[in-house]
Amino acid sequence: MSRPLQRGVVRISGNSNDLWDSEMKDRTGKEDLEKNHSSDQSYLALRFPFQFLFHDNSNSPSKYGVSENGFASDPFSIGTPRSRHSLIMLLLKCSFIVIVILALTGSFWWTISISTSSRGRIYHGYRRLQEQLVSDMWDIGEISVGSSRTKELEFCSQESENHVPCFNVSENIALGYSNGDEYDRHCIHGIRQNCLVAPPVNYKIPLRWPTGRDVTWVANVKITAEEVLSSGSFTKRMMMLDDEQISFRSASLMFDGVEDYSHQIAEMIGLRNESNLIQAGVRTILDIGCGYGSFGAHLFSNQLLTMCIANYEASGSQVQLTLERGIPAMIGSFTSKQLPCPSLSFDMLHCARCGVDWDQKDGLLLIEVDRVLKPGGYFVWTSPLTNPQGFIRNKNNQKRWNFVHDFAENLCWELLSQQDETVVWKKNSKKSCYSSRKPGSGLSLCSKGQDVESPYYRPLQGCIGGTNSRRWIPIEERTNWPSRANLNKKELAVYGVHPEDFAEDTENWKTAVSNYWSLLSPVIFSDHPKRPGDEDPSPPYNMVRNVLDMNAHFGGFNSALLERGKSVWVMNVVPKIGTNYLPMILDRGFVGVLHDWCEAFPTYPRTYDMVHAEGLLSLESGEQRRCSTLDIFTEIDRILRPEGWVIIRDTAPLIESTRALTTRLKWEARIIEIESNSDERLLICQKPFFKKQSS
């Protein structure tokens, strides 16, 4: 290896001849010294290759060398070989510096020129390279992000197979809640345990709709024959329970069957039969304490959408079995808090032996019924308390009935009919009724500050709500279903939505649903429903029935699914941190709730066939949240059935960054580019069925 260009400064004598003689005399010694230090010099030359440009002579006796008489020699003298050599070296150094500066300057301006002339092409190329890099990094997995981040989540204990955070009664009792409040929702914010809820032993994939409406697997729900017989549901006499299946005789001709019962309600309203309820303005029904969902299952054939709410139950769950049958349901309670639904939400509220004591808490429970009931809507109550023949034998029942009767009158409800154990009231359509009540009725109207249109588990209010809403429109004046789903310009103005935005949203979702069908067929939808290894089912058939939309916006996804003729129902969820279009969704004839996705959704594990989220990641990332994306995805896994599907639509960077979570959750995932010029991507996942975890 060649020697370094700078070897240091040596002392010189007073003339050039002495310098030459001195150099000749010391050459042999210096060569030996250089041999000993050649390795050190070579190392320095490699480590500091440009050291000769910035050499520091601070350790030398003088900057230019000092003569024996103490004067410095002139470095610019041209009279000696040493000075000429120094001058040449200095010129070479300066020339090299100039060349380097010119080269760097030229390169800089060339780069600017290229970036200016080809900015668009470079940007798109960079974006694709960036996306590919992120994708490759996630594929590498443990090498890129570390094994601790990609480690799969463990399964929860077997005791968690039906656990619902925030609603577990035993946990609420331990927190000190009692007198019925233990059935309400109590969320404790803190460290969350991220684990996967395993299915029960002998769990089986639910039967396809509509077969699954009438036949369910016993192993999939926590219910026994004793619990069925001891339940208060009048539909228990329509159920057949064996070792493996629960069968519902929906075509029963029994007097107390659902068909006769719904026919009776229609007649009490003044209609020929239940099929005329649509013409009377009824589309959505809230079924309180729904039993096992048979009332809603029967009405579905008449295009009536019934959502069940009932308390959390560790076993014998009404909500769990209702969802297993493919009927809308959620955990809810009238005990102490308002429902996460807007005022004026439902066309009818139904309570058949629902276990709610409406005469308790000074009528607060009836005020909540009035709040969520649309003007002109109906409240149907079936109970032994309403049977006039029972008053003679039980004075206490008569007292309780009198309280409910008088309180309903103060709410301006009209008693339409009373037959046997069933009573039907109609909520007033005109606000003038409130001012014409008897003085001292004790029920005042809520002020604007009290009248929150969409409360989120707020304590029950002692005033009549909904009267300040612009949505106070009697159901008989609304467009009947299915035209109700297509709002006109005047109706859209109530929600602050421009007609062009609504039309664009509708068309976009028609295209999106069509694309979903093309992507997921022939695996899951009724276009080709055969699962590998299964026999061909008899039509109609559908492998997806229960759908949850985590960020429903206008409800366009729901509308597009129905327009495609798919036999699905959608739980439209409006995030608490987003723009609240939930009143609009419910007025269109759909069902939904307000929810904070950093908390547990009010449902049991394994209750939805599909979970859909459009723009939710962007919405959550823009907030200073107290939970992580893993927390939200773990909750999705809890409520998703084995072999269920997840469709997440969002920006490419967010989709790519969350892709690794699917590995931790053991999901099978694929990222799909929607359009070549779109910044959005689809993350389509399927939750496997781990039978080995349930054995």
Side-chain angles (χ1 to χ4, degrees):
M1 182 179 294
S2 60
R3 298 176 184 175
L5 296 178
Q6 181 71 23
R7 299 193 302 173
V9 180
V10 295
R11 295 180 61 85
I12 58 175
S13 60
N15 57 67
S16 60
N17 293 330
D18 292 339
L19 173 64
W20 177 258
D21 293 337
S22 176
E23 288 180 349
M24 292 296 293
K25 291 178 181 179
D26 296 338
R27 178 174 296 177
T28 303
K30 289 181 179 180
E31 287 178 353
D32 294 338
L33 182 62
E34 287 174 354
K35 289 180 181 180
N36 294 333
H37 293 281
S38 60
S39 59
D40 295 337
Q41 294 285 355
S42 300
Y43 167 75
L44 292 174
L46 287 172
R47 187 174 181 184
F48 307 106
F50 297 101
Q51 186 180 8
F52 68 95
L53 292 177
F54 309 100
H55 184 70
D56 184 7
N57 291 325
S58 60
N59 294 329
S60 302
S62 174
K63 188 173 182 179
Y64 301 117
V66 183
S67 63
E68 290 181 351
N69 58 12
F71 292 93
S73 60
D74 186 2
F76 298 103
S77 174
I78 57 175
T80 65
R82 174 67 177 179
S83 62
R84 288 196 298 270
H85 179 266
S86 299
L87 181 61
I88 292 172
M89 292 301 298
L90 180 62
L91 291 175
L92 288 175
K93 292 178 183 180
C94 294
S95 300
F96 187 87
I97 293 174
V98 172
I99 293 172
V100 170
I101 292 174
L102 291 176
L104 292 175
T105 303
S107 176
F108 175 75
W109 285 111
W110 177 81
T111 303
I112 293 179
S113 176
I114 290 295
S115 63
T116 303
S117 62
S118 307
R119 180 176 300 173
R121 178 172 55 84
I122 291 177
Y123 169 76
H124 291 293
Y126 169 75
R127 189 181 72 177
R128 291 195 174 274
L129 287 174
Q130 184 186 45
E131 294 172 0
Q132 184 63 41
L133 175 61
V134 173
S135 176
D136 293 342
M137 292 293 282
W138 286 124
D139 288 338
I140 293 173
E142 293 185 357
I143 297 177
S144 60
V145 297
S147 58
S148 61
R149 296 186 181 181
T150 58
K151 183 180 179 181
E152 292 184 349
L153 297 181
E154 301 293 334
F155 284 93
C156 304
S157 62
Q158 187 175 357
E159 292 75 18
S160 302
E161 65 183 26
N162 292 295
H163 178 72
V164 182
C166 302
F167 288 91
N168 188 276
V169 177
S170 59
E171 293 179 358
N172 292 339
I173 292 176
L175 292 173
Y177 295 100
S178 60
N179 299 324
D181 289 350
E182 66 270 18
Y183 293 103
D184 241 327
R185 168 187 173 277
H186 302 284
C187 287
I188 302 175
H189 302 294
I191 300 176
R192 298 178 55 165
Q193 180 182 5
N194 287 324
C195 58
L196 306 181
V197 179
V201 176
N202 300 325
Y203 178 88
K204 295 183 180 180
I205 301 298
L207 299 173
R208 301 182 181 93
W209 178 270
T211 305
R213 175 190 59 191
D214 302 323
V215 180
T216 62
W217 301 111
V218 173
N220 291 11
V221 294
K222 279 287 186 179
I223 191 170
T224 63
E226 292 75 15
E227 290 164 343
V228 171
L229 295 175
S230 63
S231 67
S233 173
F234 70 89
T235 60
K236 65 186 179 183
R237 286 172 283 182
M238 301 173 55
M239 298 169 58
M240 294 186 297
L241 185 67
D242 59 28
D243 293 338
E244 290 190 352
Q245 294 182 339
I246 303 173
S247 299
F248 297 85
R249 301 191 296 270
S250 59
S252 172
L253 298 178
M254 299 172 59
F255 178 77
D256 58 348
V258 175
E259 185 175 0
D260 291 332
Y261 176 70
S262 58
H263 186 81
Q264 176 190 3
I265 292 174
E267 288 183 335
M268 295 174 70
I269 293 175
L271 306 173
R272 183 176 180 180
N273 53 49
E274 61 269 31
S275 62
N276 297 118
L277 286 170
I278 288 286
Q279 284 70 38
V282 178
R283 157 64 179 173
T284 55
I285 301 172
L286 184 65
D287 195 2
I288 306 166
C290 62
Y292 302 122
S294 294
F295 184 67
H298 172 71
L299 294 180
F300 179 79
S301 59
N302 294 303
Q303 302 187 61
L304 298 170
L305 186 60
T306 304
M307 186 171 79
C308 160
I309 63 167
N311 288 330
Y312 171 83
E313 300 166 280
S315 62
S317 165
Q318 303 174 67
V319 170
Q320 188 183 40
L321 184 53
T322 300
L323 284 164
E324 192 71 16
R325 300 181 64 188
I327 311 299
M330 61 173 281
I331 299 173
S333 173
F334 279 87
T335 306
S336 62
K337 297 179 181 178
Q338 293 180 326
L339 297 175
C341 302
S343 302
L344 319 178
S345 293
F346 295 94
D347 306 314
M348 177 183 286
L349 268 74
H350 172 258
C351 168
R353 299 176 182 259
C354 58
V356 178
D357 296 326
W358 298 108
D359 58 312
Q360 301 299 311
K361 297 197 174 185
D362 299 325
L364 286 178
L365 309 181
L366 289 170
I367 293 177
E368 177 64 3
V369 169
D370 181 84
R371 184 187 72 83
V372 298
L373 191 61
K374 289 183 182 294
Y378 304 94
F379 178 53
V380 181
W381 183 29
T382 298
S383 170
L385 290 180
T386 65
N387 191 342
Q389 300 299 324
F391 297 161
I392 301 174
R393 298 186 297 270
N394 193 323
K395 297 299 181 181
N396 184 54
N397 285 353
Q398 183 177 7
K399 181 180 179 181
R400 297 176 62 188
W401 158 252
N402 289 338
F403 176 88
V404 175
H405 176 273
D406 295 342
F407 202 90
E409 185 177 348
N410 289 332
L411 287 170
C412 278
W413 292 359
E414 178 188 358
L415 179 60
L416 293 182
S417 180
Q418 183 175 2
Q419 294 182 13
D420 301 323
E421 295 184 350
T422 302
V423 181
V424 177
W425 282 279
K426 181 180 176 67
K427 180 177 177 177
N428 73 292
S429 301
K430 299 180 179 179
K431 299 179 184 179
S432 59
C433 174
Y434 299 118
S435 59
S436 63
R437 292 176 300 171
K438 297 178 181 180
S441 63
L443 288 177
S444 61
L445 303 182
C446 293
S447 63
K448 290 186 178 180
Q450 295 173 307
D451 200 358
V452 178
E453 184 169 57
S454 298
Y456 188 66
Y457 298 105
R458 193 176 63 156
L460 293 173
Q461 301 294 300
C463 56
I464 299 175
T467 57
N468 295 300
S469 175
R470 298 174 61 191
R471 298 168 46 243
W472 184 281
I473 303 172
I475 61 172
E476 55 267 20
E477 296 181 11
R478 292 183 178 271
T479 307
N480 293 335
W481 178 264
S483 300
R484 181 187 293 189
N486 301 315
L487 303 176
N488 57 41
K489 181 178 180 180
K490 182 179 179 181
E491 292 169 332
L492 289 172
V494 174
Y495 317 104
V497 177
H498 196 278
E500 293 182 0
D501 295 335
F502 181 76
E504 182 181 3
D505 182 80
T506 300
E507 292 302 318
N508 288 342
W509 279 114
K510 288 180 181 179
T511 303
V513 167
S514 179
N515 291 337
Y516 292 169
W517 238 255
S518 300
L519 291 170
L520 300 177
S521 297
V523 182
I524 64 173
F525 288 114
S526 56
D527 303 86
H528 187 171
K530 184 175 181 296
R531 188 185 289 113
D534 286 1
E535 296 180 357
D536 291 323
S538 300
Y541 34 65
N542 193 33
M543 292 177 65
V544 171
R545 169 63 180 170
N546 300 348
V547 179
L548 187 144
D549 193 358
M550 299 178 69
N551 188 20
H553 199 52
F554 295 158
F557 181 52
N558 190 345
S559 179
L561 285 171
L562 296 182
E563 188 167 330
R564 290 275 298 188
K566 303 305 177 183
S567 296
V568 301
W569 72 271
V570 180
M571 176 64 82
N572 294 280
V573 181
V574 173
K576 188 171 176 287
I577 61 174
T579 305
N580 183 18
Y581 291 112
L582 186 57
M584 174 180 172
I585 292 172
L586 290 160
D587 290 348
R588 296 184 69 183
F590 308 143
V591 295
V593 292
L594 199 67
H595 184 63
D596 182 350
W597 281 113
C598 282
E599 299 170 349
F601 190 72
T603 190
Y604 288 84
R606 305 172 304 278
T607 49
Y608 284 93
D609 303 304
M610 175 183 287
V611 176
H612 175 268
E614 191 271 335
L616 181 67
L617 300 179
S618 296
L619 182 65
E620 292 287 347
S621 64
E623 295 288 328
Q624 187 67 31
R625 305 302 293 158
R626 60 185 179 278
C627 66
S628 65
T629 306
L630 179 61
D631 293 328
I632 298 175
F633 274 43
T634 305
E635 176 64 8
I636 295 175
D637 185 86
R638 184 185 71 86
I639 65 181
L640 188 65
R641 286 173 173 168
E643 295 191 1
W645 293 83
V646 180
I647 301 179
I648 299 178
R649 179 171 178 168
D650 222 299
T651 60
L654 286 173
I655 291 294
E656 292 286 358
S657 64
T658 57
R659 183 184 181 187
L661 295 179
T662 64
T663 302
R664 301 195 63 183
L665 296 165
K666 311 181 194 299
W667 293 351
E668 299 171 1
R670 173 179 292 184
I671 294 178
I672 296 177
E673 184 175 344
I674 301 175
E675 297 175 356
S676 59
N677 59 344
S678 174
D679 189 44
E680 291 188 328
R681 298 289 186 273
L682 283 179
L683 179 62
I684 298 182
C685 314
Q686 186 178 28
K687 175 181 176 179
F689 180 17
F690 293 98
K691 293 184 179 180
K692 62 180 181 179
Q693 295 295 335
S694 58
S695 58

